[in-house]
Amino acid sequence: MFSSSILLQILACALYNNWWPMLSALMYVVVPMPCLFFGGGSTQFLISRDGGGWMDAAKFLTGASAVGSIAIPIILRHADLIQTGAMFIEFVSFFIFVCTVMCYHHASLDDEW
């Protein structure tokens, strides 16, 4: 699923002969970083009510980078740097990426593996 998300990201750039949409691929790298640095590589802290300075900062950074993944194509379209079709392909790519993360999170919660 992650590979198809990256493929759609590249197609949004290649089909419209404009590489500005690849800017939102940077956010795909930034989204899992708070989990790696502050959550110990686990996604458990995202659903817990326990907090602390670092846990709250990790939740905020995860949310901000997820919103940035949606906002970047919208801002690029508003500035007429990309076309509408590229923006919608970016949204589909982000949706597949989020589904991939949710599947990983669900699989990591199962103790039967």
Side-chain angles (χ1 to χ4, degrees), residues 9-85:
Q9 187 79 31
I10 293 170
L11 279 176
C13 298
L15 288 177
Y16 295 97
N17 199 19
N18 185 355
W19 292 95
W20 277 105
M22 194 56 78
L23 187 63
S24 64
L26 176 68
M27 297 309 285
Y28 290 176
V29 176
V30 175
V31 168
M33 290 300 160
C35 290
L36 294 175
F37 294 139
F38 303 119
S42 173
T43 58
Q44 288 286 353
F45 77 95
L46 290 174
I47 59 171
S48 71
R49 291 187 180 252
D50 297 336
W54 292 111
M55 292 294 190
D56 291 338
K59 290 176 185 178
F60 174 76
L61 290 173
T62 302
S65 56
V67 169
S69 298
I70 296 171
I72 288 174
I74 294 171
I75 292 169
L76 290 174
R77 176 63 194 121
H78 182 71
D80 287 330
L81 292 174
I82 64 173
Q83 295 180 2
T84 306

Side-chain angles (χ1 to χ4, degrees), residues 1-6 8-9 24 27-29 31-32 43 46 62-71 89-107:
M1 287 175 64
F2 181 74
S3 299
S4 63
S5 175
I6 296 299
L8 284 173
Q9 187 79 31
S24 64
M27 297 309 285
Y28 290 176
V29 176
V31 168
T43 58
L46 290 174
T62 302
S65 56
V67 169
S69 298
I70 296 171
I89 293 173
E90 290 285 325
F91 290 155
V92 172
S93 172
F94 179 72
F95 177 73
I96 292 172
F97 178 73
V98 168
C99 288
T100 304
V101 170
M102 295 303 289
C103 289
Y104 172 76
H105 175 69
H106 182 68

